[in-house]
């Protein structure tokens, strides 16, 4: 595999781990017996079998829908690692560490070997070996949502299974616990609880807050017609509804639900039904039909519709960063998220792109982290790394030996 432009190696970041903040080291591992002065001293946040680094260790999990070939592209070293072929895959998602290859027969779990642990006042970055974990039950359309404690797989029929996160981190699926009831959307771990939508008959869905065993602990007043799409932000959990979004928050143990309406009637075809964001960001994007993009500022409780022309993919890092849109002309376009004005455009990057949004899994996507955006070019067998804060400058181009029709970023 070739890496063009900005050839300077990033591998030096691996040795920079020795420069990690001293205040985050020199603490005993609670598993080793913190009261024993003879116990070995290990860094705070230590993860067995992993190496800690001073910088984010991002990787791209890639899948070729045509051949079933998969790869993990290490963005620190520029190397592409071959992983098991997965035939019959219909989609690919991630929770920041694990890649979930969804198919008709089940969901295969791949540990990308890169993740971030956020302790609030400081952050740990880890890298480890890539490994195949196993197969979760549930066919196409199964959603997987995770936090530090659990991973929840929700099938299209509404059944939800909860897996201990520590088992996945050890390379095992573990024994799941099935949640009672039927759920109207993905079950989302949040604030040491599980947030779900339930429906009684043909009426709108309502929020239910469960503990980790599945027991109902709160049902904040809420109503969500035709729920579709969800996202976790630092302000709470967002669910897409027919008339806008529903925000579920926790404050000192109390859960509330608040509607963020569009403010106007929105045709069904132009509703926000799939959110994309920088993980944790309170700024969400969603396609608004074929020729516009929704921006939801959760902090301000406000929607903005940006007219873009035929849109294929969109995302933003939020916090003053531009909205980045792949349009049907094969170029990336940058827009000011406040005014909607176009601020930058690249040359044609993709020669083969759909003529507007179709919702197919094979469409290119834009993944965003704190400094870069990544765009997959399936027919060109490459991935572009773009500096969105520098006029959408293409910083690196990764040439591959597969068509990366599926792509997610881990390690963030």
């Amino acid at each position: 595999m070739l890496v063009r432009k900005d050839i300077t190696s990033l591998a030096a970041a691996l040795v920079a781990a020795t420069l990690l903040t001293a205040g985050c080291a020199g603490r005993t591992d609670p598993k080793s017996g913190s009261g024993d002065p003879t116990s070995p001293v290990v860094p705070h946040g230590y993860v067995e079998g992993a190496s800690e680094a001073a910088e984010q260790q991002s990787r791209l999990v890639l899948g070729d829908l045509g051949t079933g070939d998969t790869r993990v592209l290490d963005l620190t070293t520029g190397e592409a690692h071959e992983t098991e072929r997965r035939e019959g895959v219909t989609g690919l998602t991630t929770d920041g560490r694990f890649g979930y290859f969804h198919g008709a027969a089940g969901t295969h779990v791949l540990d990308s070997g890169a993740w971030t642990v956020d302790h609030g006042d400081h952050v740990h970055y880890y890298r480890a070996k890539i490994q195949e974990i196993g197969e979760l039950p549930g066919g196409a359309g199964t959603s997987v949502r995770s936090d530090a404690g659990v991973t929840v797989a929700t099938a299209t029929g509404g059944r939800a299974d909860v897996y201990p996160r520590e088992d996945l981190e050890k390379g095992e699926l573990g024994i799941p616990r099935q949640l009672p009831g039927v759920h109207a959307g993905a079950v989302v771990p949040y604030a040491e609880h599980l947030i779900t939508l339930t429906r009684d008959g043909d009426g709108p869905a309502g929020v239910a807050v469960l503990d980790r065993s599945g027991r109902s602990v709160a049902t904040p007043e809420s109503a969500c017609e035709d729920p579709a799409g969800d996202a976790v932000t630092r302000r709470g959990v967002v669910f897409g509804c027919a008339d806008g979004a529903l925000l579920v928050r926790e404050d000192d143990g109390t859960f509330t639900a608040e509607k963020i309406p569009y403010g106007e009637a929105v045709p069904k075809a132009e509703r926000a039904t799939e959110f994309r964001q920088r993980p944790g960001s309170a700024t969400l994007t969603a396609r608004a039909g074929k020729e516009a993009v929704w921006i939801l500022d959760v902090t301000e409780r406000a929607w903005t519709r940006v007219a873009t022309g035929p849109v294929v993919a969109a995302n933003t890092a939020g916090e003053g960063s531009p909205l980045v849109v792949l349009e049907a002309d094969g170029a990336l376009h940058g827009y000011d998220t406040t005014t909607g004005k176009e601020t930058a455009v690249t040359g044609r990057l993709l020669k083969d792109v759909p003529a507007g949004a179709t919702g197919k899994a094979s469409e290119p996507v834009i993944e965003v982290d704190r400094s870069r955006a990544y765009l997959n070019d399936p027919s060109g067998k490459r991935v572009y790394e773009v500096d969105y804060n520098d006029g959408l400058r293409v910083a690196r181009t990764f040439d591959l030996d597969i068509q990366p029709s599926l792509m997610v970023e881990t390690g963030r």
Side-chain angles (χ1 to χ4, degrees), residues 36 78 89 155 166 207 298 302 319 333 368 370 396 409:
D36 183 357
V89 169
E166 62 180 0
V207 172
V298 179
E319 299 178 353
H333 298 250
V368 174
R370 289 189 177 276
R396 292 188 290 176
E409 184 180 357

Side-chain angles (χ1 to χ4, degrees), residues 46-59:
Y46 172 74
V47 177
E48 185 175 358
S51 299
E52 190 169 359
E55 297 178 356
Q56 182 174 289
Q57 301 297 296
S58 294
R59 293 175 176 176

Side-chain angles (χ1 to χ4, degrees), residues 197-211:
L197 296 177
T198 60
R199 181 184 285 110
D200 185 11
D202 296 329
V207 172
V209 180
L210 314 177
D211 64 17

Side-chain angles (χ1 to χ4, degrees), residues 140-154:
T142 295
S143 62
V144 180
R145 304 291 185 267
S146 303
D147 68 1
V150 297
T151 292
V152 186
T154 310

